[in-house]
Amino acid sequence: MKFAKKITTAAALAAALLAGTAPKAAAQCPYTVGPLGRYIAPAIVQGMTATDDGAVEVWCTDALDGDDWFFTVDAKTDLRIYDRVDLVVDANGTPDNFADDRVVDALFCHDCDGVED
């Protein structure tokens, strides 16, 4: 009886160890890629850094899942830190793999109340 108990305990220990090291399922992305291979991600500009070639690197945090996005814009951009933007993101031909996606545009408005329809 002691031998069977040791085997059961060892099996339970091995199963617990394997369960702790098993790969977890990737977090589900909250976006659906459209027919043109793009999706819109709402974000907030967290920082901006000038580059050596006269451009500006923009750092945004995704408003839905907290992921960080980095992209480069022209130095004459109207973007400002803490702006809320809608990022147009290209799925890069892999709608199930969000790791290779890239920002192709940032939509924003500073004077949205003054815009006429």
Side-chain angles (χ1 to χ4, degrees), residues 1-12:
M1 192 68 167
K2 284 186 178 184
F3 182 73
K5 187 175 181 178
K6 285 183 183 178
I7 291 175
T8 305
T9 305

Side-chain angles (χ1 to χ4, degrees), residues 16-116:
L17 289 173
L18 288 175
T21 59
K24 307 290 187 255
Q28 191 72 324
C29 182
Y31 306 109
T32 301
V33 177
L36 298 177
R38 296 180 176 178
Y39 58 93
I40 303 294
I44 300 170
V45 177
Q46 298 293 335
M48 299 173 75
T49 306
T51 63
D52 292 336
D53 59 352
V56 175
E57 184 177 89
V58 180
W59 162 39
C60 291
T61 299
D62 192 305
L64 293 182
D65 63 9
D67 286 340
D68 289 332
W69 292 97
F70 295 89
F71 55 96
T72 305
V73 295
D74 186 86
K76 295 179 182 180
T77 185
D78 290 333
L79 274 175
R80 296 179 275 196
I81 295 176
Y82 304 122
D83 275 352
R84 294 185 179 272
V85 296
D86 286 325
L87 302 176
V88 180
V89 183
D90 185 351
N92 209 14
T94 56
D96 295 334
N97 179 7
F98 295 96
D100 63 349
D101 296 359
R102 63 185 178 89
V103 175
V104 294
D105 203 354
L107 309 173
F108 62 97
C109 180
H110 289 141
D111 187 22
C112 295
D113 295 333
V115 176
E116 294 181 24

